[in-house]
Amino acid sequence: MRPYQRERGGFAMIMAIFFMILIATLLSYMLSTTTETAKRTTNTYVNEQAQLLAKSAVEYAILRVSGVDRDGVDNVVGNADDACLNGFNIQYSPNGNPLLDVNVSIKYIGFSTIGNTAANQCMNFINTISTAESNGTMLIDVYVSDSPGLMLSEPIRYHRRTLQKI
């Protein structure tokens, strides 16, 4: 046989090994990129849900406060001693698994002119205002955070503050 063919056989083996290593490197890079993209997509989705849930919690707080007839009866939920809602907690679990925790706190400004019964029960009562236009205002703070069992790569923390007239 020809003597130069033995030398080319070894070179072909080295080229095959080089291409296998190159393809394995590219596949591992593609796999890590796909995993990182999936994590970012999940975090973005949960963050958007947290923002929407905070907006809904503000609307629900306004509904709850406006449902109180200031004589000690909450007409929305039906609690007899809930004339002044100071806050509430909600756990959002769409499929039975806790996803987000919502903590709402409400502070009332100039609430004594609306009704003395509710004003005496308000723990977050602020009455140091000098303008009549500010009477009957509430400050709503909503804190949304991910549940501990969710184990996201980046924890979700979202805060929304709203000033609302009653």
Side-chain angles (χ1 to χ4, degrees):
M1 305 263 176
R2 298 179 208 154
Y4 61 86
Q5 281 185 340
R6 280 197 272 180
E7 294 175 16
R8 289 192 75 199
F11 181 73
M13 177 78 85
I14 292 173
M15 288 300 290
I17 291 173
F18 173 74
F19 281 122
M20 288 175 59
I21 290 173
L22 181 67
I23 290 173
T25 304
L26 288 175
L27 287 176
S28 65
Y29 175 73
M30 288 173 37
L31 184 63
S32 68
T33 304
T34 303
T35 304
E36 186 65 31
T37 303
K39 285 180 184 178
R40 285 183 188 167
T41 302
T42 302
N43 285 348
T44 302
Y45 174 74
V46 174
N47 192 22
E48 290 292 326
Q49 279 200 332
Q51 291 177 14
L52 291 172
L53 193 59
K55 187 174 182 180
S56 296
V58 167
E59 297 296 326
Y60 182 64
I62 294 169
L63 173 71
R64 290 277 306 270
V65 170
S66 64
V68 175
D69 61 4
R70 310 294 177 245
D71 63 356
V73 178
D74 185 343
N75 295 323
V76 176
V77 178
N79 295 338
D81 58 345
D82 201 9
C84 185
L85 180 67
N86 293 312
F88 56 88
N89 296 322
I90 300 173
Q91 189 174 56
Y92 177 65
S93 30
N95 299 327
N97 298 330
L99 183 65
L100 296 168
D101 296 325
V102 182
N103 183 0
V104 178
S105 65
I106 302 171
K107 295 181 181 174
Y108 298 94
I109 302 171
F111 204 65
S112 61
T113 60
I114 294 176
N116 288 333
T117 305
N120 293 334
Q121 294 179 6
C122 291
M123 296 173 64
N124 296 318
F125 181 68
I126 301 169
N127 200 22
T128 57
I129 56 173
S130 59
T131 59
E133 293 83 18
S134 295
N135 287 332
T137 304
M138 60 183 179
L139 182 67
I140 304 170
D141 283 316
V142 178
Y143 298 93
V144 181
S145 60
D146 60 322
S147 295
L150 198 56
M151 294 187 190
L152 294 172
S153 59
E154 298 174 14
I156 303 294
R157 303 277 186 267
Y158 184 74
H159 175 242
R160 181 182 178 108
R161 176 171 279 178
T162 305
L163 192 63
Q164 183 71 34
K165 288 292 281 182
I166 299 176

